[in-house]
Amino acid sequence: MHKDVVIAGAGPAGLACARAILTAAPGTDILLLEAGRAYRRRPCPVDRGRACTGCAGICNVISGFGGSMHYGDGAKLSLLPSGRRLIPHLGADRADELCETAFAWLTEPLGRTPELLGENLTGQAVDAFAAHQLRIREYPVAVIGESDLATVIAGWHDLLNPNLDLWHISELTDAKEHGQHLELTVRTGLSEERRISCDHLVLATGRRGVTSTTELLKQLGVPTELPDISVGVRLEMAVGLLKAIGEEHPDLKVSQLDHAQKIKSFCFCGGDNGGRIKVTNYQEAFGDPILTLDGHETTERTAGDRPLASNFGLLCQVQDRGNALEARDSFITTYRELAGGRPFAQTLRAFLTRRTGATSWSELQAGMPFQPSVLDLAAGPVDQLFTDAEHTSLTAGFRRFMGSILDHSRLGLSVDDILDDVLVVGPELEFLWDKPAIDADCKVPGLPIHVVGDSAGIAQGIVQAAMMGIAAGRAIATSTARTHAESR
Ligand SMILES: Cc1cc2nc3c(=O)[nH]c(=O)nc-3n(C[C@H](O)[C@H](O)[C@H](O)COP(=O)(O)OP(=O)(O)OC[C@H]3O[C@@H](n4cnc5c(N)ncnc54)[C@H](O)[C@@H]3O)c2cc1C
C-alpha cells in the first residue's frame, strides 16, 4: 500500500494537520493511524469511581480519536501567548494567524464562538497576587464543557472521516527510509503487522508516544535535545475555594515577580463546577506501567452529599537529580517504591510538615469537606516523592499561590485554615518529550517527516497542537501539489 501522507495520531495536532492538507490539496491520499479507540468507545473506569485497569494496554484518557481531548470531559482552549515558545519557532505574525485558525477550526462544530476570559482581570485579582509577589499571566481562554467537547470531537470525525482512511487500534511501530519514500510498519488490532509506504509521515503521537516516538526519531538519526522536567502534585479542594479566581481566569498561571525558585501552577480546574482529576496510564512507556495525574475542567457535574471538588497542579523544576533523564528515572523509581506507580494522597498538613497522616484512603477521603473526584487512590507519603529542595519550592510556592487565591476570594480564610481540608495527590510530571530538531514547518531537515503537537517538545495544549498541525499540513500540501504537478 502506498499513501501520499500517513499521520500517526488523531489528537488535535494530527486532526488539524489532516484538515490543513485536505483544505489546501483536496484529494491528497491520507491515512490517519490511531493507536486508540473510536471516540465513543473511550470510557475511563476511574471516572466511574473504579480502579484503573489499563484498558487492555490502551489508556482511553490519552489514546483514541480526539487524542488527549477525552470524549466525555471538558477542556480549556488557551490562546497565545499561552504556549509562547511557539512564537519564535513559527514567527510572530504566522503564529498569530495559526492560533486564530486553530481556534476557529476547533470551535467551528459548536456553531458559535465561545466566550473568552482570562484577560482584563479586575484590579482586585491583580493586587491580591501582587501582594504575594506573583503576576497572573493574562491570555484568552475558552472553557469548553463536556457536551461541547463531545460536539467538537464528533464534528472533526464527521468532517474528516469521509475524506481520508482512518484506522483505529493501529499503531505506527517503525519507519525506515526507502529511496524517495518511507517504509512504515503498523501494528493493527489483530496484532498483525502491515507495511505501508508513503511520501510524508507526520508524527502527532502526543503522550502515548512520549518515549516510542523519541526512539523512532533516534533510529532515523534525528538529533533530539533533552527536555526540561518538572515534578509536582495536584491539589484538590472544595469548589468554593477556587471558584472566584477560576471564573475570572479559567487557566490560571502565574509568574514570580521576585524570581524566587521557580514553581508554576498547571492545568487549573476551578470555576463554578470545578474539575475532575484524571489518571493517565503511560503503559510500558517507562518500563512497568505507571499512572500519573492531570485534570479536566468540568461544567456539568452535579454535587451529591458533599460539595464538588476543584483542583490545580503545582510543579517545580527537578533539583538535585542529575540530567533530565536521570531526574525522570529517579523520580519514577521513588514513585514505584512509595506507591507502586499508582496515585496516592495525603492531607495538605501532612504534605507541608512531612509528617505521617491518615493511613487509609477511606479515612482520608471521609475527612474531606468535599467529594474527591477520584476514588482509586491510596493514602501515603506524597511529600517523600520530592527532594528537600523540591519540597521547599513546592511548599513555599503553594503558600504564595493559594494565599493569593484566598485573599482574592474574600472568604476570610488563610492557608493555615485549610490544612486539613485539602488533598495533595501525586504525582504530576511535565515535559517528558525530547525536542527533535525541526524547522518552522515542524519538518525534520533532510527527511519527509514532520513532528507536531506535544511530541515536538516545544509547547503543550490543544490550540498549540492544532497550530503546529496546520503549519505542517500546509507545508505538506505545497510539497504534494508540486510532486503531483511534476509527475503529470
Ligand atoms: C487529562 C488531560 C487534560 C488536559 N486538559 C487540557 C486542557 O484543558 N487544555 C489544553 O489546552 N490542553 C489540555 N491537555 C493537554 C492537551 O490535551 C495536549 O497538549 C494535546 O492534546 C496534545 O495534542 P497532540 O495531538 O499532540 O497529542 P494527543 O492529544 O496526546 O494525541 C496523540 C494521539 O496519538 C495516538 N498515538 C500515539 N502513538 C501512536 C502511534 N505510534 N501510532 C498511532 N497513533 C498513536 C494516541 O493514541 C493519541 O490519540 C490535557 C491533557 C490531559 C491528558
Side-chain angles (χ1 to χ4, degrees), residues 237-258:
M237 60 199 78
V239 81
L241 296 182
L242 302 184
K243 177 172 148 49
I245 194 65
E247 285 178 344
E248 272 202 56
H249 197 322
D251 193 23
L252 184 68
K253 288 180 189 144
V254 294
S255 303
Q256 301 195 354
L257 294 170
D258 59 356

Short mmCIF file of all heavy atoms in Angstrom, two decimals, residues 237-258:
data_model
loop_
_atom_site.label_atom_id
_atom_site.label_comp_id
_atom_site.label_asym_id
_atom_site.label_seq_id
_atom_site.Cartn_x
_atom_site.Cartn_y
_atom_site.Cartn_z
N MET A 237 -9.62 20.41 46.34
CA MET A 237 -10.30 21.09 47.45
C MET A 237 -11.74 21.40 47.06
O MET A 237 -12.13 21.19 45.90
CB MET A 237 -9.54 22.36 47.80
CG MET A 237 -9.44 23.34 46.67
SD MET A 237 -8.11 24.54 46.92
CE MET A 237 -6.66 23.58 46.48
N ALA A 238 -12.51 21.93 48.01
CA ALA A 238 -13.91 22.24 47.72
C ALA A 238 -14.00 23.32 46.66
O ALA A 238 -13.17 24.24 46.61
CB ALA A 238 -14.61 22.69 48.99
N VAL A 239 -15.02 23.21 45.83
CA VAL A 239 -15.16 24.08 44.67
C VAL A 239 -15.20 25.56 45.06
O VAL A 239 -14.69 26.42 44.33
CB VAL A 239 -16.42 23.62 43.87
CG1 VAL A 239 -17.70 24.14 44.45
CG2 VAL A 239 -16.29 23.93 42.41
N GLY A 240 -15.73 25.85 46.24
CA GLY A 240 -15.88 27.25 46.65
C GLY A 240 -14.55 27.97 46.81
O GLY A 240 -14.48 29.20 46.69
N LEU A 241 -13.47 27.23 47.08
CA LEU A 241 -12.18 27.89 47.33
C LEU A 241 -11.55 28.45 46.05
O LEU A 241 -10.85 29.45 46.09
CB LEU A 241 -11.20 26.92 48.00
CG LEU A 241 -11.58 26.41 49.39
CD1 LEU A 241 -10.50 25.49 49.94
CD2 LEU A 241 -11.82 27.56 50.35
N LEU A 242 -11.78 27.80 44.92
CA LEU A 242 -11.14 28.25 43.67
C LEU A 242 -12.10 28.99 42.74
O LEU A 242 -11.67 29.54 41.72
CB LEU A 242 -10.55 27.04 42.91
CG LEU A 242 -9.52 26.18 43.65
CD1 LEU A 242 -8.98 25.10 42.72
CD2 LEU A 242 -8.36 27.04 44.15
N LYS A 243 -13.37 29.00 43.10
CA LYS A 243 -14.40 29.50 42.18
C LYS A 243 -14.17 30.94 41.74
O LYS A 243 -14.23 31.25 40.55
CB LYS A 243 -15.75 29.35 42.89
CG LYS A 243 -16.95 29.87 42.16
CD LYS A 243 -18.18 29.43 42.96
CE LYS A 243 -19.36 30.34 42.95
NZ LYS A 243 -19.89 30.88 41.80
N ALA A 244 -13.88 31.84 42.68
CA ALA A 244 -13.83 33.27 42.33
C ALA A 244 -12.74 33.53 41.29
O ALA A 244 -12.99 34.13 40.24
CB ALA A 244 -13.59 34.10 43.58
N ILE A 245 -11.53 33.02 41.53
CA ILE A 245 -10.45 33.29 40.58
C ILE A 245 -10.64 32.45 39.31
O ILE A 245 -10.33 32.90 38.20
CB ILE A 245 -9.05 33.08 41.22
CG1 ILE A 245 -7.97 33.69 40.33
CG2 ILE A 245 -8.77 31.62 41.48
CD1 ILE A 245 -8.01 35.17 40.19
N GLY A 246 -11.18 31.23 39.46
CA GLY A 246 -11.41 30.37 38.30
C GLY A 246 -12.40 30.98 37.32
O GLY A 246 -12.29 30.80 36.11
N GLU A 247 -13.35 31.74 37.83
CA GLU A 247 -14.32 32.37 36.93
C GLU A 247 -13.69 33.55 36.20
O GLU A 247 -14.08 33.87 35.08
CB GLU A 247 -15.56 32.79 37.71
CG GLU A 247 -16.42 31.57 38.03
CD GLU A 247 -17.66 31.87 38.83
OE1 GLU A 247 -17.75 32.96 39.43
OE2 GLU A 247 -18.53 30.99 38.90
N GLU A 248 -12.69 34.20 36.83
CA GLU A 248 -12.01 35.31 36.13
C GLU A 248 -11.00 34.78 35.13
O GLU A 248 -10.88 35.27 34.03
CB GLU A 248 -11.28 36.20 37.15
CG GLU A 248 -12.15 37.31 37.71
CD GLU A 248 -11.31 38.46 38.26
OE1 GLU A 248 -10.49 39.03 37.54
OE2 GLU A 248 -11.50 38.78 39.46
N HIS A 249 -10.20 33.80 35.58
CA HIS A 249 -9.16 33.25 34.70
C HIS A 249 -9.20 31.73 34.80
O HIS A 249 -8.62 31.13 35.71
CB HIS A 249 -7.78 33.76 35.11
CG HIS A 249 -6.74 33.56 34.03
ND1 HIS A 249 -6.71 32.45 33.21
CD2 HIS A 249 -5.73 34.35 33.61
CE1 HIS A 249 -5.70 32.55 32.37
NE2 HIS A 249 -5.10 33.71 32.57
N PRO A 250 -9.87 31.06 33.84
CA PRO A 250 -10.05 29.60 33.94
C PRO A 250 -8.75 28.81 33.82
O PRO A 250 -8.73 27.63 34.19
CB PRO A 250 -10.97 29.28 32.76
CG PRO A 250 -11.53 30.58 32.30
CD PRO A 250 -10.54 31.63 32.67
N ASP A 251 -7.69 29.41 33.29
CA ASP A 251 -6.43 28.66 33.14
C ASP A 251 -5.33 29.41 33.88
O ASP A 251 -4.31 29.78 33.31
CB ASP A 251 -6.09 28.53 31.64
CG ASP A 251 -4.98 27.51 31.40
OD1 ASP A 251 -4.79 26.63 32.25
OD2 ASP A 251 -4.30 27.61 30.36
N LEU A 252 -5.57 29.61 35.17
CA LEU A 252 -4.71 30.47 35.98
C LEU A 252 -3.26 29.99 36.04
O LEU A 252 -2.99 28.87 36.46
CB LEU A 252 -5.28 30.52 37.40
CG LEU A 252 -4.58 31.44 38.38
CD1 LEU A 252 -4.80 32.90 38.00
CD2 LEU A 252 -5.11 31.18 39.80
N LYS A 253 -2.35 30.85 35.58
CA LYS A 253 -0.92 30.57 35.72
C LYS A 253 -0.26 31.85 36.20
O LYS A 253 -0.75 32.94 35.91
CB LYS A 253 -0.30 30.16 34.38
CG LYS A 253 -0.73 28.79 33.92
CD LYS A 253 -0.10 28.41 32.60
CE LYS A 253 -0.70 27.13 32.07
NZ LYS A 253 -0.83 27.12 30.62
N VAL A 254 0.85 31.71 36.90
CA VAL A 254 1.49 32.90 37.46
C VAL A 254 2.97 32.95 37.11
O VAL A 254 3.59 31.93 36.84
CB VAL A 254 1.35 32.95 39.00
CG1 VAL A 254 -0.08 33.12 39.42
CG2 VAL A 254 1.97 31.71 39.63
N SER A 255 3.50 34.16 37.09
CA SER A 255 4.94 34.36 37.03
C SER A 255 5.35 34.96 38.37
O SER A 255 4.56 35.66 39.00
CB SER A 255 5.32 35.36 35.93
OG SER A 255 4.82 34.91 34.71
N GLN A 256 6.59 34.73 38.74
CA GLN A 256 7.03 35.23 40.04
C GLN A 256 7.79 36.54 39.88
O GLN A 256 8.78 36.60 39.15
CB GLN A 256 7.90 34.19 40.72
CG GLN A 256 7.11 32.90 40.88
CD GLN A 256 7.74 31.95 41.84
OE1 GLN A 256 8.83 32.16 42.33
NE2 GLN A 256 7.03 30.90 42.14
N LEU A 257 7.31 37.57 40.54
CA LEU A 257 7.89 38.89 40.37
C LEU A 257 9.29 38.99 40.99
O LEU A 257 10.10 39.80 40.57
CB LEU A 257 6.98 39.95 41.00
CG LEU A 257 5.62 40.12 40.29
CD1 LEU A 257 4.69 40.99 41.11
CD2 LEU A 257 5.82 40.72 38.92
N ASP A 258 9.55 38.17 42.00
CA ASP A 258 10.85 38.26 42.66
C ASP A 258 11.83 37.18 42.17
O ASP A 258 12.88 36.97 42.76
CB ASP A 258 10.70 38.17 44.18
CG ASP A 258 10.04 36.87 44.60
OD1 ASP A 258 9.64 36.09 43.69
OD2 ASP A 258 9.91 36.62 45.80
#
